[in-house]
């Protein structure tokens, strides 16, 4: 009896299809498990990076407040303030990630309490530095307690990071098991697997070539962009240098014109006033014993002309600044301020010989602008002007006891002009509240330091 091969073939084909479907379903489940484990591993790694980011922000806060406490410069507070803002957001993201993990979330109560205590301690240190100045540096108790808190915070961060590292290792181990099972299932699909691998290799080869071309194009674009940026930067730097040179030259030209104009006003108007006065005196003597009231008025006008000529000349360019130096010119200017209003001026200028002529001129102009603002807006009764040279810089302080600095108007140019003059002299200017409640201006200019018989820029 001959058995038909069709049912056998059909059965074998049906069995093969059923086996293939079963293996394909097992492959699908294995791939889902791999994807889930990969997501868990990526989540643990990202959480670990978030822990490190929180630690880095705490270090930035610590570094910013320490730099401010040591130097007293408010520039160190900019990274400190930014790190404080970023810390709240990053720590919130860390807590969310810890809650979203597959494993039970670790406790963060101790870490949160330590961070809160440290932030409060840092804020207190910054406030004490503002209030007490450099005296805070002598108190080491805050540094010791801060270091202890930071050590405890680092310990808690290390604990969280170690937990995430353990999760990564556990996930890697589970992923390895799933991969092994997947490999075993894939090996049963030998024929189909070969075709799939060949197709995958071909697709990968094509993708690799496409990516190589894209990477080469990107490198070429980056190179072109870098060269363009370098050219633009060099052009902008050259333009800025030309602008600064032109500004300095323009300022020197203005000062030269002021000096010439002051000399002309003093010589011409002063001589005319003096000649007029002499003529009136001669005329009155000639008319004596007769007396003419208009001659007295002419004498008064001649005296006023001489006085106005001297005032205009001193305002344009004080002759004492060129003849006797900065201290003499400032002293004369201070007496003028005291005569103009009820303002007591305390003056202490030293080491002006260390300054160049350009620096002396800029300091005097800054002083004029600052005192003008004091007379107009400060309602002050005392003004202190002090200057002294250090090892490599000269510092000038202008401080009053008035109402203190208020909001700066958008159209105000006084403070901007003073900063520009300090920059032209190679230094910087700081404006803020004074120790007596008024305003304070600090000007710092570099000095030429003498070493072994030669001068180098300090």
């Amino acid at each position: 009896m001959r058995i038909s091969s069709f049912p056998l073939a059909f059965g074998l084909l049906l069995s093969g299809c059923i086996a293939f479907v079963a293996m394909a379903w097992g492959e699908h489940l294995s791939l889902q498990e791999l994807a889930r484990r990969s997501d868990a591993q990526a989540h643990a790694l990202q959480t670990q990076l978030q822990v490190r980011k929180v630690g880095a922000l705490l270090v930035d806060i610590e570094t910013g407040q320490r730099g401010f406490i040591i130097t007293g410069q408010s520039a160190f507070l900019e990274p400190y303030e930014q790190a404080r803002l970023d810390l709240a957001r990053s720590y919130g993201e860390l807590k969310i990630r810890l809650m979203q993990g597959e494993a039970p979330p670790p406790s963060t109560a101790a870490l949160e309490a330590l961070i809160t205590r440290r932030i409060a301690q840092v804020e207190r240190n910054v406030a004490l530095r503002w209030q007490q100045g450099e005296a805070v540096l002598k108190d080491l108790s805050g540094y010791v307690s801060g270091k202890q808190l930071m050590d405890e915070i680092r310990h808690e961060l290390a604990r969280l990071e170690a937990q995430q590292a353990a999760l990564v290792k556990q996930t890697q181990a589970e992923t390895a098991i799933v991969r092994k099972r997947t490999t075993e299932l894939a090996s049963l699909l030998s024929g189909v697997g070969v075709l799939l691998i060949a197709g995958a290799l071909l697709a990968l080869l094509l993708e690799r070539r496409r990516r190589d071309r894209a990477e080469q194009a990107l490198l070429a674009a980056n190179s072109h962009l870098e060269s363009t940026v370098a050219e633009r930067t060099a052009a902008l730097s050259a333009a800025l240098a030309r602008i600064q040179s032109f500004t300095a030259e323009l300022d020197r030209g203005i000062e030269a014109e002021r000096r010439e104009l002051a000399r002309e006003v003093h010589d011409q108007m002063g001589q005319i006033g003096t000649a007029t006065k002499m003529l009136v005196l001669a005329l009155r003597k000639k008319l004596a014993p007769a007396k003419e009231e208009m001659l007295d008025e002419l004498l008064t006008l001649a005296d006023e002309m001489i006085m106005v000529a001297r005032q205009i000349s001193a305002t344009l360019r004080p002759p004492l600044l060129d003849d006797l130096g900065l201290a003499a010119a400032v002293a004369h200017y201070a007496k003028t301020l005291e005569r103009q209003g009820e303002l007591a001026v305390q003056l202490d200028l030293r080491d002006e010989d260390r300054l160049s002529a350009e620096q002396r001129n800029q300091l005097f102009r800054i002083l004029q602008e600052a005192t003008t603002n004091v007379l107009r807006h400060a309602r002050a009764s005392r003004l202190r002007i002090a200057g002294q040279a250090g090892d490599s810089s000269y510092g000038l302080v202008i401080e009053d006891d008035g109402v203190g600095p208020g909001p700066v108007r958008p159209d105000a140019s006084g403070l901007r002009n003073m900063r520009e003059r300090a920059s032209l002299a190679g230094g910087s200017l700081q404006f803020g509240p004074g120790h007596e409640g008024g305003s304070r201006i600090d000007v710092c200019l570099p000095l030429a330091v003498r070493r072994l018989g030669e001068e180098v820029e300090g």
Side-chain angles (χ1 to χ4, degrees), residues 35-47 102 164 167-169 171-172 175 179:
R36 189 177 69 84
R37 295 299 176 187
S38 297
D39 292 340
Q41 182 178 351
H43 184 272
L45 288 172
Q46 291 174 356
T47 304
E102 291 188 356
Q164 296 305 312
L167 287 177
V168 170
K169 289 183 180 180
T171 307
Q172 288 176 344
T175 302
R179 285 179 178 174

Side-chain angles (χ1 to χ4, degrees), residues 166-183:
L167 287 177
V168 170
K169 289 183 180 180
Q170 179 183 352
T171 307
Q172 288 176 344
E174 294 173 353
T175 302
I177 295 174
V178 175
R179 285 179 178 174
K180 182 178 180 181
R181 185 171 66 246
T182 304
T183 303

